[in-house]
Amino acid sequence: MKTKLKEELLKAKQGKYAIPAFNFDNLEMMKGIIEAAEEEKSPVILMVTESAAKYMGIDYVFSFALTATNNANIPVILHWDHGFDIDLIKKAVDAGFSSVMLDSSLKPFEENVKETIEIVNYAHSKGVQVESEIGHVGGKEDDRNSDSKGYTDVNEAIEFEKLTKIDALAIAIGTSHGLFKGQVKLQFDLLKEIESKVSAPLVIHGSSQVPLEDLQKTISLGITKINIGTDLKMACANGLKHWFEKNPQGFDARKYGKEAIEFVKKEAKIKIRAFGSNNKA
Ligand code: 13P
């Protein structure tokens, strides 16, 4: 069933768990995520990026992701992730997404504030919630590559929240998007400080390949939404490779697709249990 982002994140904060926010790029990934969450009785955030939506077809993805969201027997937040294109974000709002993210984090502070306010006004008038990013989580996100602009500045985060009235705030504390992150060194003291001064639920991006104990520590310090993309892409690809190794002459999409779903489901369950959101639906 469709539910609201902020309310679920506040519940998670009280219960000291985080809700996994999974990106999907195809039907198999989406099914693996929903089935994992249903079997684990976990709330889940189902995320679509711009380029994933363009790949699947924007109208197709709107209709099948909304169907999955409404039909699931656990709370699902359908979330537009890393919106760069304001018109597309508004389209997701109009289509019935639960929440949208605007990513203007590489722009100057004032511009980020201005664009975030525009999206907040539009989305809130239609009952849709908004996440925005302050500081910049670099790496390979969607089809873009960028360097990290540095960690979130605490005073900017306070000011940003006050000016924009966002519902969730993505912060940069040492993660980066994509596969190759080098040695991850999360800034736990910075997180602690931001958490004590910002009231919006806090989000971390770029969480694939980050040791689960580190992510668990961020949860104990107040993170309530953890974004995972690459680990599920890899699980999907590994499912397909595994099936074709066993069936080199195989061709039935329903059979190799099933293996991809199973691999994605297994990986999603690992995250759900590690973040403590199982049995919280
Ligand atoms: P990873 O691909 O590094 O997990 O990052 C995903 C993400 O942050 C999506 O918003």
Side-chain angles (χ1 to χ4, degrees):
M1 74 217 66
K2 188 171 143 190
T3 188
K4 294 213 174 265
L5 177 74
K6 189 169 180 181
E7 285 71 359
E8 283 298 327
L9 296 183
L10 291 175
K11 244 193 267 172
K13 188 151 181 207
Q14 278 233 310
K16 291 234 168 280
Y17 60 93
I19 304 184
F22 295 119
N23 293 107
F24 70 95
D25 297 326
N26 58 26
L27 184 68
E28 286 71 25
M29 292 177 77
M30 191 196 76
K31 285 181 73 109
I33 294 164
I34 294 286
E35 287 179 17
E38 287 188 329
E39 288 172 22
E40 291 295 320
K41 301 186 176 43
S42 169
V44 74
I45 302 169
L46 195 56
M47 303 198 298
V48 191
T49 60
E50 281 181 12
S51 75
K54 285 177 187 162
Y55 164 71
M56 290 180 273
I58 290 178
D59 293 331
Y60 290 169
V61 79
F62 282 177
S63 82
F64 74 68
L66 274 165
T67 302
T69 301
N70 291 329
N71 289 358
N73 64 21
I74 36 101
V76 181
I77 292 125
L78 181 59
H79 182 79
W80 187 255
D81 187 33
H82 284 286
F84 300 102
D85 179 330
I86 302 240
D87 290 339
L88 272 183
I89 298 174
K90 289 182 177 172
K91 207 168 168 196
V93 169
D94 295 342
F97 274 56
S98 321
S99 51
V100 291
M101 181 205 181
L102 166 77
D103 184 356
S104 292
S105 59
L106 272 176
K107 297 184 178 171
F109 181 79
E110 294 69 28
E111 223 172 306
N112 191 358
V113 167
K114 185 169 157 273
E115 290 183 3
T116 301
I117 290 174
E118 180 185 342
I119 294 298
V120 166
N121 287 343
Y122 188 83
H124 282 184
S125 75
K126 305 198 173 204
V128 174
Q129 298 182 332
V130 180
E131 173 186 335
S132 195
E133 180 168 322
I134 190 79
H136 177 68
V137 180
K140 175 157 175 49
E141 173 49 39
D142 216 4
D143 283 342
R144 298 164 185 245
N145 275 298
S146 66
D147 291 332
S148 178
K149 200 173 94 177
Y151 303 132
T152 298
D153 177 275
V154 181
N155 292 325
E156 278 195 357
I158 298 169
E159 192 63 9
F160 192 75
E161 175 180 43
K162 202 167 76 194
L163 294 170
T164 61
K165 315 241 178 325
I166 29 94
D167 303 289
L169 183 66
I171 55 172
I173 54 165
T175 55
S176 66
H177 294 109
L179 192 51
F180 303 108
K181 301 181 196 279
Q183 182 83 29
V184 180
K185 196 169 178 327
L186 298 185
Q187 305 300 301
F188 296 114
D189 288 342
L190 174 61
L191 168 57
K192 229 186 263 176
E193 199 184 346
I194 297 171
E195 202 280 325
S196 69
K197 294 181 176 162
V198 166
S199 60
L202 300 176
V203 179
I204 45 172
H205 285 242
S207 311
S208 293
Q209 310 279 301
V210 176
L212 291 177
E213 314 78 69
D214 282 2
L215 295 176
Q216 285 164 336
K217 185 153 181 206
T218 69
I219 297 170
S220 73
L221 296 173
I223 290 290
T224 52
K225 173 175 181 274
I226 300 185
N227 286 23
I228 303 280
T230 305
D231 281 346
L232 292 198
K233 287 184 207 285
M234 285 170 63
C236 183
N238 288 338
L240 293 172
K241 287 179 206 165
H242 183 251
W243 192 86
F244 279 104
E245 268 164 24
K246 286 187 304 180
N247 304 279
Q249 308 302 327
F251 57 86
D252 189 333
R254 294 164 301 181
K255 292 186 177 154
Y256 61 74
K258 185 90 185 82
E259 193 87 329
I261 293 171
E262 290 305 318
F263 271 57
V264 169
K265 196 200 289 193
K266 192 165 166 221
E267 183 64 28
K269 283 186 176 188
I270 291 172
K271 307 294 190 208
I272 286 171
R273 288 180 197 162
F275 302 166
S277 64
N278 49 325
N279 298 316
K280 300 294 193 313

